Amino acid sequence: MGFEFKKMESTETKTETGFDLDADIEKVKCLIIGSGPAGYTAAIYASRANLSPVIYQGLEPGGQLTTTTEVDNFPGYPEGVTGPVMMEDLKAQAERFGADSRWGIVSSVDLSKRPFKVIVDGKKQLEAEALIISTGATAKYLGLESEEKMKGSGVSACATCDGFFYKGKDVAVIGGGDTATEEATYLAKMCNKVTLVVRRDELRASKVMQDRVFNTPNIEVKWNSQVDEFLGENGVEGVRLVNKEGEKEEIKLDGIFVAIGHHPNSDFVKGQIDMDEAGFITTSNGQKTNLPGVFAAGDVQDKVYRQGITAAGTGAMAAIDAEHYLASLED
Ligand code: NDP
């Protein structure tokens, strides 16, 4: 995707040759795109390093954690904290050191040369010396209406976040990849029974994870099965499965974990930066991408750990990398 100047609205200034785009370009040292734990932690570190970071919050200010209820595994909160409160805390901490946190969605970027050109909301233009991409990932869901209704009241996409609430209960995990098998074995340690719903007659997961599933007595695999409907009035009470012969079966459950993959929010830089075939941005040697001056942190570059704390850790690393990079330009 190239950098396209969109037609400017109220801020446009005309010259004889057309629009005087330069007149409206804001120059920033360190621009952070995305406001989950990675983005805000990057903002805390970058502001303390005098990089005067500007952070654009994006489509889902606060990121995926704002869609969960209790967060019990983020260090420093002995009594737990809700996702939205934790994100407000991180934002306040970043702003305390001068980070400029703004509403806005980055609509296009040009990474072909430095300073990097960025357009926000189709009209506001910025140029950044260093860029930290922390736009996160979006969990994929099946797309059923009943699923949408029960998100947060029995339907979850994160066993590490929500599994604790199902101690001693019966749950299902949907999917057959590494995430689904990891979630199933994780949940099996605390739940009474885990039903793993797999749409084919084999798992996509690595051999070691397959073995773990087959060697865990309280995991039952339902092969060739898909969810027909999530069942329950005020939250999950069960699920109706349909197999490839069209036979339906209802199972009583307390919770359902959908683990059919995540989509990294990297489409806006596709073709401009190295990423894997699923769209996760490639980082190495800290949080560096293949483009000097562009760093990535959090779930947009992590398909394995995907935790708030690991995202925060990579956010700190990205800011330190950006600081070193900017210092090297002055040498
Ligand atoms: P994957 O894409 O690997 O697997 C998705 C699974 O969900 C597949 O079994 C797929 O079925 C199934 N699925 C997809 N859509 C549907 C649907 N609509 N209905 C029912 N089932 C569906 O995603 P993961 O999140 O598991 O893994 C992503 C990547 O991250 C992989 O490369 C994985 O190896 C890696 N990973 C590594 C980990 C580790 O190393 N510890 C941990 C977690 C992930 P089908 O097979 O039929 O397509």
Side-chain angles (χ1 to χ4, degrees):
M1 191 199 326
F3 179 64
E4 290 172 1
F5 283 111
K6 303 257 161 72
K7 189 175 181 310
M8 296 175 70
E9 289 162 8
S10 57
T11 53
E12 68 190 15
T13 53
K14 276 192 178 177
T15 66
E16 280 175 7
T17 54
F19 295 110
D20 182 4
L21 295 163
D22 280 336
D24 290 86
I25 295 176
E26 180 184 356
K27 296 185 190 318
V28 299
K29 221 187 259 183
C30 178
L31 185 71
I32 301 169
I33 309 175
S35 60
Y40 279 132
T41 306
I44 292 168
Y45 275 72
S47 50
R48 287 172 58 86
N50 286 337
L51 303 186
S52 313
V54 170
I55 176 167
Y56 275 97
Q57 296 181 35
L59 255 185
E60 190 176 46
Q64 287 182 79
L65 273 181
T66 57
T67 64
T68 65
T69 46
E70 206 70 26
V71 180
D72 278 332
N73 54 8
F74 200 96
Y77 290 100
E79 305 303 326
V81 61
T82 66
V85 166
M86 192 178 97
M87 295 319 303
E88 278 303 315
D89 283 350
L90 282 173
K91 179 169 180 273
Q93 192 172 352
E95 287 174 344
R96 182 178 144 216
F97 298 110
D100 183 351
S101 174
R102 303 178 183 173
W103 293 97
I105 297 166
V106 168
S107 36
S108 62
V109 295
D110 179 5
L111 305 181
S112 63
K113 58 181 190 302
R114 216 180 39 83
F116 308 110
K117 292 181 165 48
V118 174
I119 295 192
V120 178
D121 294 332
K123 53 178 192 269
K124 164 120 183 111
Q125 300 170 69
L126 299 103
E127 281 184 355
E129 295 291 329
L131 200 63
I132 297 176
I133 302 172
S134 49
T135 41
T138 307
K140 291 183 193 162
Y141 283 91
L142 298 169
L144 296 168
E145 214 175 285
S146 51
E147 171 190 57
E148 186 59 36
K149 233 173 52 193
M150 291 183 221
K151 272 186 200 166
S153 53
V155 172
S156 164
C158 179
T160 325
C161 320
D162 298 327
F164 183 80
F165 303 112
Y166 299 94
K167 262 189 175 168
K169 300 197 167 164
D170 292 346
V171 299
V173 176
I174 319 297
D178 278 322
T179 304
T181 49
E182 252 189 34
E183 300 218 330
T185 47
Y186 174 82
L187 290 163
K189 292 192 191 112
M190 63 187 88
C191 297
N192 177 51
K193 181 176 173 187
V194 179
T195 303
L196 183 62
V197 181
V198 181
R199 68 177 173 183
R200 292 186 292 135
D201 61 356
E202 60 178 353
L203 295 169
R204 180 182 289 275
S206 53
K207 177 81 172 63
V208 57
M209 286 313 300
Q210 298 200 19
D211 289 345
R212 255 182 234 168
V213 163
F214 300 143
N215 292 327
T216 306
N218 61 338
I219 299 180
E220 181 188 356
V221 183
K222 292 278 184 192
W223 299 105
N224 296 312
S225 297
Q226 302 232 45
V227 175
D228 187 47
E229 207 64 72
F230 292 75
L231 306 173
E233 284 302 315
N234 300 309
V236 167
E237 291 167 21
V239 71
R240 185 164 62 235
L241 301 180
V242 56
N243 67 16
K244 71 173 189 207
E245 276 77 41
E247 295 159 349
K248 296 191 176 174
E249 177 188 8
E250 289 191 3
I251 306 174
K252 278 193 168 177
L253 293 170
D254 302 291
I256 301 175
F257 292 85
V258 181
I260 59 171
H262 283 76
H263 183 70
N265 300 320
S266 62
D267 289 352
F268 73 112
V269 287
K270 203 170 182 175
Q272 300 194 60
I273 196 168
D274 283 356
M275 51 180 75
D276 70 11
E277 66 289 348
F280 289 93
I281 294 176
T282 310
T283 51
S284 62
N285 191 16
Q287 300 312 123
K288 299 178 186 69
T289 69
N290 64 311
L291 301 178
V294 182
F295 308 90
D299 287 11
V300 74
Q301 53 87 61
D302 169 21
K303 61 185 177 191
V304 177
Y305 302 103
R306 293 198 297 248
Q307 300 303 300
I309 188 62
T310 51
T314 56
M317 290 162 70
I320 293 169
D321 286 343
E323 183 191 353
H324 291 167
Y325 168 77
L326 290 167
S328 75
L329 296 179
E330 288 162 14
D331 290 343

